[in-house]
C-alpha cells in the first residue's frame, strides 16, 4: 500500500467533524433526557457516597464524578462536558494542529463519560462505534502539541491499519447476522420491500425507493450481501485497485442508506472508516494532480498481470452472486429474477470455515504492515534517529497488536465454535477493557421489523377524558400528511426510542412510564424533545389531565402515510393513577430524593447562559449550521492560502515529480481545505528552507532508501 498521509489527514478531519455533530446533538437533548426534570435523571446513576475518587472511577469510568468537587450538579456537569467536547472538536476541524492525539483523547474521555451515565437506554450501537473509532484516533493522530511536528512517522501505517480492520468487522458482521438470524425476509430477498417504510426515521426519498419494482428490491438485497460479506475480504488485498474497488462499493452502499434513511452520523462514520482503503496516489487523482508514469518494461508486465488477476477476482464475485442467488433474466417481467440458492446449514458451514481464516488474514495483513514499517525504520540514517524511530514503532506496534487481539472476542461472536476456540487469556483481556468500549460487536438490521405494517405509538392527551388530541413528534411518523424529515447527522434519541418501543409491549420500555408522568406534569424540558417550538405542542398552555397511548400500523400511500388502529399500548392515566405509580415503582423511576438547589458558581452560570442562547433552536438546525460554517471556513481558508502562495512560474518536470511522491510538502495545498492555516504553511516553508542546508546528507539518505526499495521490488 502506498503513502497514507492524505487519507490520514482526511480521516482526522472527518472524525473531528463527527465528534462535533455528536456532542452538539446530545447537548440539545440533555435537559429532557438526563436533566433533573428529564426522563431518566443522570443523578440517579451517580450516587455520591463519599468513596475515594479512584474507587468511583473504577466502578464507573466517567469524569462526572468530578462534578461535586468543582461545585456542579450532574446535569450541569453533563452540559459542560458536551460544550467542551463541541468546542474542542469544532476547533480541531478549523485548526490542523489541534487534530492531535491529546485532543482526541479528551474527546473520547468526554463522550465515554456521557455514555456511562446513559443507562444504555438512549445510546445505541452508533455510540459504541464512535467510541471505538474515537479511541483509534488517539493512536492514529500525531502528537503535535508535544513534539511540535506533523511529520509522517513509520508507525502511522500500522495504527491506521486498525481502521481497516474495524471496517472489515463492521461490514462482514452486518452481512452475516442477516442470514444467521434466519429472518425470512432476508432469506427470501424481500427485506427491502419492507425496509424503506419501516425503518426508524425514513427520508422523503425512502417513499420513492419503496415504489421500485419487487425484482429490483430483491436484486438490491443480493447486492447488499455481496458488498457486506464478499467485498470486505478485498480490504486486505495486496492489489491496490481491488482495494479501491471495495472502497467505492462501500461508499455506494453508505450513500444510498444516507439518502433513504436518517441514521444520524452512523453512515458518515462508516464512510470515514472507508478512507483507510485509500492512499495518497488516489487522493491526488481526485485532485487532478499529475502522476509519474513508470516506463520500466518489467513494471508494465507486472501491471498487466495485476489487471488479469483483478478481472479474475471481479469475475469470481459476479459468478458467485449469480450461482448463489440464481440470478436469471426474466423476460416476462422485464427484470432479473433471484432467489437464495443455498440453505442455512450450508451457510453455517461456510461461516465455520471462514471465521478463523478471517482472523489469519488479519494477522498476515498486520504482519506485512509491521514488517514494512520496520524496513523503513531500518533505512533511517543516524543511530539516534533510527533508535528513536524503532522505539516509537515498538510502542505503537504493541498497542496495535493488543487492540487487534482484544477485538477478536466480539468479532468471533458471529460463529459460536470459533468463539469457543479463542484463548481464555484473550477473553479475560476483553473483559478487562469492555467497560471502556474499546472494541464492540456489530450486526446491523439483524431482522426486518414491521412486516405486517410499521408499528407506531401515538400518544393522546385530554382535559376531560372525552375529547382527545394527538401529540405529534417532530421527526417520527405521526401526521398522515406530513412528509418524512431529513435530520442527518442529528440524532433525535427520543424519536428513535419511540420506534423501538412500538416493536413490543410497553413493559419492555420502562422509560415510557416516565415520559407519561413528565408530560402530565408539564415539564418543559421533556416537551422540547417532542416539539422544540413549544407553541406547536397542543398542551403548551396547560398540561393534560389524562394521557393514553395507542399502537397503529402505518403504510406508505400516495399522500405519504395511511394507518390502521392496532391495539392499546398504554392505558388512560392521570397523576397519581394506580397503574402509573406501580410502573414507576416497579422500575425504580420514582424520585424520592429532595430537589437539589442549583449551583451558583461562575461555571454553572456560564453553562446556563449558553443554554439560554440556544434554547428554541432545533437540534438538526444547530448541527447543520455548525457543520456548514466549519466546512465553508476551511474551504475559504484553503482557497485564500492557495491563491496567496500560488506564483505564475513554470513547473519543471523534476519539480512535478517531487510533487507526486506523496510527501507532505506536495500535499499541503491539497489539505488547505481541511483546516491548515497560513501560519502553519509558513512554518512548514521555514522548515523546508532550513532543511536545504543538509541537502547533501539528504541526497545520500534518499539514495540508500531508493536502493533498498529497488531490492525490495526485485524480491
Amino acid at each position: 500500500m502506498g503513502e497514507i498521509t492524505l487519507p490520514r489527514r482526511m480521516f482526522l478531519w472527518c472524525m473531528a467533524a463527527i465528534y462535533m455533530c455528536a456532542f452538539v446533538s446530545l447537548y440539545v437533548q440533555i435537559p429532557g433526557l438526563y436533566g433533573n426534570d428529564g426522563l431518566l435523571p443522570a443523578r440517579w446513576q451517580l450516587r455520591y457516597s463519599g468513596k475515594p475518587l479512584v474507587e468511583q472511577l473504577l466502578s464507573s469510568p466517567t469524569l462526572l464524578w468530578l462534578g461535586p468537587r468543582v461545585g456542579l450538579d450532574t446535569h450541569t456537569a453533563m452540559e459542560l462536558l458536551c460544550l467542551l467536547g463541541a468546542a474542542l472538536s469544532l476547533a480541531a476541524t478549523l485548526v490542523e494542529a489541534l487534530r492531535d492525539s491529546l485532543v482526541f483523547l479528551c474527546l473520547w474521555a468526554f463522550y465515554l463519560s456521557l455514555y456511562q451515565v446513559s443507562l444504555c437506554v438512549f445510546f445505541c450501537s452508533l455510540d459504541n462505534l464512535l467510541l471505538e473509532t474515537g479511541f483509534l484516533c488517539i493512536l492514529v493522530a500525531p502528537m503535535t502539541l508535544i513534539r511540535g511536528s506533523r511529520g509522517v512517522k513509520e508507525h502511522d501505517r500500522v495504527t491506521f491499519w486498525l481502521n481497516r480492520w474495524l471496517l472489515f468487522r463492521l461490514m462482514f458482521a452486518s452481512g452475516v447476522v442477516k442470514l444467521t438470524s434466519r429472518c425470512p425476509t432476508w432469506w427470501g430477498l424481500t427485506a427491502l420491500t419492507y425496509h424503506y417504510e419501516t425503518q426508524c426515521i425514513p427520508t422523503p426519498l425512502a417513499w420513492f425507493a419503496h415504489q421500485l419494482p419487487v425484482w429490483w428490491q430483491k436484486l438490491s438485497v443480493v447486492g447488499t450481501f455481496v458488498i457486506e460479506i464478499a467485498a470486505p475480504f478485498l480490504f486486505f488485498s495486496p492489489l491496490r485497485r481491488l482495494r479501491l474497488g471495495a472502497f467505492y462499493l462501500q461508499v455506494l452502499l453508505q450513500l444510498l442508506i444516507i439518502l433513504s434513511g436518517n441514521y444520524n452520523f452512523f453512515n458518515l462514520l462508516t464512510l470515514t472508516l472507508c478512507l483507510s482503503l485509500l492512499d495518497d496516489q488516489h487522493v491526488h487523482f481526485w485532485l487532478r494532480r499529475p502522476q509519474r508514469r513508470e516506463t520500466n518494461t518489467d513494471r508494465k508486465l507486472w501491471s498487466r498481470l495485476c489487471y488479469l488477476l483483478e478481472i479474475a477476482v471481479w469475475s469470481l464475485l459476479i459468478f458467485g452472486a449469480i450461482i448463489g442467488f440464481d440470478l436469471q433474466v426474466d423476460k416476462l417481467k422485464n427484470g432479473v429474477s433471484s432467489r437464495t440458492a443455498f440453505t442455512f446449514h450450508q451457510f453455517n458451514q461456510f461461516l465455520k470455515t471462514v471465521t478463523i481464516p478471517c482472523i489469519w488474514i488479519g494477522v498476515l495483513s498486520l504482519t506485512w504492515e509491521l514488517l514494512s514499517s520496520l524496513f523503513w525504520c531500518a533505512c533511517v540514517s543516524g543511530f539516534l534517529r533510527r533508535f528513536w524511530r524503532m522505539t516509537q514503532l515498538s510502542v505503537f506496534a504493541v498497542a496495535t497488536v493488543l487492540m487487534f487481539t482484544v477485538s477478536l472476542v466480539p468479532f468471533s461472536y458471529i460463529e459460536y465454535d470459533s468463539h469457543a476456540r479463542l484463548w481464555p487469556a484473550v477473553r479475560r483481556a476483553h473483559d478487562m477493557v469492555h467497560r471502556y468500549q474499546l472494541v464492540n460487536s456489530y450486526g446491523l438490521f439483524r431482522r426486518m421489523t414491521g412486516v405486517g405494517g410499521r408499528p407506531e405509538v401515538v400518544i393522546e392527551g385530554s382535559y376531560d377524558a372525552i375529547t382527545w388530541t394527538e401529540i405529534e413528534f417532530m421527526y417520527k411518523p405521526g401526521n398522515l400528511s406530513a412528509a418524512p424529515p431529513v435530520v442527518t447527522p442529528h440524532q433525535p434519541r427520543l424519536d428513535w426510542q419511540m420506534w423501538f418501543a412500538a416493536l413490543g409491549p410497553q413493559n419492555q420500555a420502562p422509560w415510557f412510564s416516565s415520559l407519561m408522568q413528565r408530560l402530565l406534569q408539564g415539564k418543559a424540558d421533556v416537551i422540547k424533545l417532542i416539539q422544540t417550538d413549544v407553541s406547536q405542542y397542543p398542551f403548551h398552555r396547560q398540561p393534560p389531565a389524562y394521557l393514553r397511548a395507542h399502537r397503529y400500523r402505518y403504510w406508505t400511500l400516495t399522500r405519504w402515510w395511511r394507518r390502521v388502529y392496532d391495539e392499546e399500548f398504554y392505558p388512560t392515566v392521570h397523576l397519581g393513577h394506580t397503574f402509573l405509580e406501580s410502573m414507576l415503582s416497579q422500575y425504580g423511576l420514582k424520585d424520592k430524593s429532595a430537589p437539589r438547589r442549583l449551583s451558583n458558581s461562575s461555571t454553572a452560570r456560564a453553562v446556563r447562559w449558553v443554554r439560554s442562547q440556544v434554547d428554541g433552536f432545533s437540534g438538526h438546525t444547530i448541527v447543520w449550521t455548525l457543520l456548514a460554517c466549519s466546512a465553508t471556513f476551511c474551504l475559504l481558508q484553503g482557497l485564500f492560502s492557495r491563491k496567496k502562495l500560488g506564483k505564475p512560474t513554470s513547473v519543471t518536470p523534476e519539480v512535478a515529480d517531487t510533487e507526486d511522491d506523496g510527501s507532505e510538502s506536495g500535499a499541503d495545498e491539497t489539505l488547505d481545505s481541511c483546516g491548515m492555516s497560513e501560519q502553519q504553511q509558513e512554518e512548514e516553508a521555514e522548515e523546508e528552507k532550513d532543511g536545504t542546508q543538509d541537502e547533501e546528507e539528504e541526497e545520500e539518505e534518499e539514495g540508500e532508501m531508493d536502493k533498498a526499495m529497488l531490492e525490495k521490488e526485485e524480491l
Side-chain angles (χ1 to χ4, degrees):
M1 189 172 181
E3 296 296 331
I4 46 89
T5 303
L6 302 183
R8 187 188 65 155
R9 288 187 174 184
M10 294 167 62
F11 170 77
L12 294 177
W13 187 90
C14 291
M15 284 303 302
I18 290 174
Y19 260 128
M20 179 186 66
C21 296
F23 278 114
V24 173
S25 177
L26 180 60
Y27 170 76
V28 176
Q29 304 173 78
I30 281 181
L33 296 179
Y34 305 112
N36 295 329
D37 293 329
L39 299 180
L40 299 174
R43 56 190 174 88
W44 295 355
Q45 179 72 0
L46 296 180
R47 302 293 183 180
Y48 300 99
S49 57
K51 295 181 180 179
L53 178 61
V54 176
E55 186 176 347
Q56 291 176 330
L57 290 174
L58 290 177
S59 63
S60 180
T62 173
L63 297 177
L64 295 176
W65 290 116
L66 301 175
R69 290 172 168 79
V70 294
L72 299 177
D73 61 290
T74 305
H75 173 199
T76 307
M78 288 188 72
E79 292 198 355
L80 179 61
L81 285 183
C82 267
L83 289 174
L84 292 176
L88 194 57
S89 55
L90 176 61
T93 60
L94 303 178
V95 182
E96 188 189 16
L98 292 179
R99 288 168 226 151
D100 178 82
S101 182
L102 293 179
V103 172
F104 281 107
L105 174 61
C106 293
L107 294 176
W108 177 79
F110 292 163
Y111 206 78
L112 178 66
S113 299
L114 298 170
Y115 178 89
Q116 292 295 329
V117 299
S118 67
L119 299 174
C120 296
V121 175
F122 295 105
F123 279 66
C124 51
S125 58
L126 69 94
D127 298 292
N128 296 333
L129 182 62
L130 178 58
L131 285 171
E132 183 170 352
T133 311
F135 185 80
L136 297 184
C137 288
I138 303 173
L139 302 177
V140 172
M143 300 185 69
T144 309
L145 299 180
I146 294 180
R147 64 184 183 221
S149 173
R150 294 184 298 276
V152 178
K153 302 301 179 183
E154 284 73 13
H155 61 74
D156 290 340
R157 294 161 57 95
V158 178
T159 54
F160 201 55
W161 178 89
L162 286 173
N163 293 324
R164 211 184 325 163
W165 173 246
L166 173 56
L167 179 64
F168 174 81
R169 289 167 40 217
L170 172 65
M171 301 310 301
F172 185 71
S174 298
V176 165
V177 297
K178 292 177 174 62
L179 295 175
T180 56
S181 66
R182 298 193 179 189
C183 177
T185 61
W186 287 115
W187 279 92
L189 307 181
T190 59
L192 292 184
T193 60
Y194 307 102
H195 167 73
Y196 295 115
E197 69 175 358
T198 62
Q199 58 185 322
C200 296
I201 304 177
T203 64
L205 288 179
W207 184 90
F208 295 97
H210 185 71
Q211 313 304 320
L212 294 173
V214 175
W215 70 266
W216 179 263
Q217 306 281 26
K218 298 178 70 174
L219 190 61
S220 300
V221 174
V222 174
T224 301
F225 285 137
V226 172
I227 294 175
E228 292 186 343
I229 298 179
F233 288 97
L234 302 180
F235 296 170
F236 307 107
S237 170
L239 300 181
R240 174 175 170 272
R241 282 187 292 265
L242 287 180
R243 293 195 303 270
L244 294 178
F247 166 80
Y248 283 109
L249 286 178
Q250 303 302 322
V251 169
L252 174 63
L253 177 62
Q254 299 306 318
L255 289 180
L256 291 176
I257 296 176
I258 291 174
L259 292 175
S260 61
N262 289 287
Y263 293 96
N264 34 76
F265 53 82
F266 188 86
N267 302 108
L268 299 178
L269 192 54
T270 306
L271 287 173
T272 302
L273 289 173
C274 290
L275 295 174
S276 61
L277 303 176
L278 300 179
D279 53 20
D280 287 359
Q281 181 181 351
H282 197 67
V283 177
H284 285 312
F285 169 76
W286 285 350
L287 301 173
R288 294 296 187 266
R289 295 179 64 90
Q291 301 292 316
R292 282 187 299 183
R293 295 182 179 180
E294 297 289 347
T295 59
N296 192 340
T297 305
D298 295 337
R299 294 287 297 177
K300 288 184 177 180
L301 179 60
W302 172 250
S303 179
R304 292 174 182 174
L305 292 176
C306 290
Y307 271 121
L308 293 177
L309 184 57
E310 290 159 4
I311 293 174
V313 171
W314 292 118
S315 300
L316 182 62
L317 282 179
I318 296 174
F319 178 77
I322 294 175
I323 298 301
F325 296 97
D326 194 19
L327 301 181
Q328 297 179 4
V329 177
D330 190 346
K331 296 182 179 180
L332 296 177
K333 297 182 179 179
N334 294 324
V336 178
S337 64
S338 56
R339 67 177 183 86
T340 306
F342 52 88
T343 64
F344 176 80
H345 176 73
Q346 291 173 331
F347 180 76
N348 198 33
Q349 289 299 320
F350 162 80
L351 196 58
K352 290 182 179 180
T353 304
V354 302
T355 302
I356 296 300
C358 285
I359 296 175
W360 283 110
I361 290 175
V363 171
L364 292 176
S365 179
L366 178 57
T367 302
W368 172 255
E369 297 294 346
L370 290 172
L371 292 178
S372 300
S373 300
L374 185 63
F375 173 81
W376 285 110
C377 281
C379 295
V380 175
S381 62
F383 174 76
L384 292 179
R385 292 179 61 191
R386 187 184 303 113
F387 176 77
W388 175 240
R389 297 290 181 88
M390 285 289 188
T391 303
Q392 284 183 311
L393 175 61
S394 300
V395 172
F396 283 94
V398 170
T400 302
V401 171
L402 290 177
M403 286 291 295
F404 172 75
T405 304
V406 174
S407 69
L408 298 181
V409 176
F411 172 70
S412 61
Y413 286 156
I414 60 177
E415 208 283 306
Y416 177 79
D417 292 340
S418 300
H419 179 71
R421 294 169 61 183
L422 289 178
W423 291 344
V426 176
R427 295 197 195 92
R428 289 195 297 269
H430 174 263
D431 294 338
M432 292 175 60
V433 300
H434 178 64
R435 67 175 61 185
Y436 302 104
Q437 304 300 317
L438 301 186
V439 292
N440 300 277
S441 60
Y442 303 99
L444 307 179
F445 305 107
R446 184 184 301 268
R447 299 187 66 88
M448 190 55 57
T449 60
V451 175
R454 175 193 181 94
E456 280 293 342
V457 173
V458 176
I459 302 177
E460 299 176 342
S462 174
Y463 292 116
D464 54 9
I466 298 176
T467 304
W468 295 90
T469 304
E470 291 187 8
I471 297 177
E472 184 178 349
F473 285 66
M474 280 190 297
Y475 304 113
K476 83 177 192 69
N479 188 347
L480 300 180
S481 60
V486 177
V487 299
T488 301
H490 173 57
Q491 184 189 9
R493 297 180 182 266
L494 178 59
D495 294 68
W496 265 56
Q497 290 301 318
M498 289 292 291
W499 179 81
F500 285 109
L503 300 178
Q506 54 86 14
N507 56 14
Q508 293 183 4
W511 56 268
F512 194 84
S513 296
S514 180
L515 173 63
M516 301 291 277
Q517 182 193 35
R518 296 306 190 191
L519 293 180
L520 288 170
Q521 294 172 344
K523 298 298 183 181
D525 292 337
V526 176
I527 293 174
K528 290 176 183 178
L529 292 177
I530 299 175
Q531 289 289 344
T532 304
D533 185 2
V534 180
S535 62
Q536 300 296 322
Y537 182 69
F539 302 99
H540 64 278
R541 299 183 183 276
Q542 180 182 353
Y546 302 92
L547 282 178
R548 68 183 184 185
H550 291 154
R551 181 167 21 224
Y552 289 83
R553 296 284 175 174
Y554 277 65
W555 291 271
T556 57
L557 195 64
T558 54
R559 199 184 61 169
W560 296 116
W561 299 106
R562 67 180 179 90
R563 73 182 185 184
V564 174
Y565 178 80
D566 189 6
E567 61 181 348
E568 180 184 73
F569 183 79
Y570 205 91
T572 302
V573 294
H574 55 79
L575 287 177
H577 192 276
T578 305
F579 179 81
L580 178 62
E581 293 296 322
S582 64
M583 295 298 294
L584 294 174
S585 301
Q586 178 181 350
Y587 298 112
L589 299 176
K590 298 192 67 172
D591 191 4
K592 299 179 181 179
S593 59
R596 297 187 177 184
R597 186 176 59 182
L598 292 177
S599 174
N600 200 32
S601 63
S602 58
T603 304
R605 291 198 302 270
V607 172
R608 289 196 290 269
W609 179 83
V610 175
R611 171 63 62 183
S612 65
Q613 300 303 307
V614 301
D615 196 22
F617 293 96
S618 61
H620 66 277
T621 302
I622 299 176
V623 171
W624 286 349
T625 302
L626 289 176
L627 192 60
C629 289
S630 59
T632 304
F633 177 83
C634 291
L635 180 61
L636 294 177
Q637 185 184 38
L639 293 176
F640 176 78
S641 301
R642 189 171 184 177
K643 181 179 180 181
K644 185 175 181 180
L645 295 176
K647 295 182 180 180
T649 57
S650 60
V651 181
T652 62
E654 290 78 11
V655 175
D657 287 344
T658 58
E659 289 179 351
D660 294 334
D661 61 0
S663 62
E664 289 208 3
S665 60
D668 287 341
E669 289 186 12
T670 303
L671 294 172
D672 290 342
S673 60
C674 291
M676 182 181 290
S677 65
E678 178 182 347
Q679 182 179 0
Q680 293 169 348
Q681 296 177 23
E682 293 177 354
E683 292 176 358
E684 290 194 356
E686 293 178 359
E687 292 177 1
E688 293 178 2
K689 184 177 180 181
D690 295 337
T692 57
Q693 298 177 357
D694 301 327
E695 185 176 2
E696 295 181 358
E697 181 179 349
E698 292 180 357
E699 290 179 355
E700 293 177 359
E701 179 181 344
E702 290 178 359
E704 294 176 1
M705 295 179 66
D706 291 340
K707 183 178 179 181
M709 280 298 298
L710 289 175
E711 294 177 356
K712 180 181 177 183
E713 291 179 358
E714 292 176 358
L715 291 176

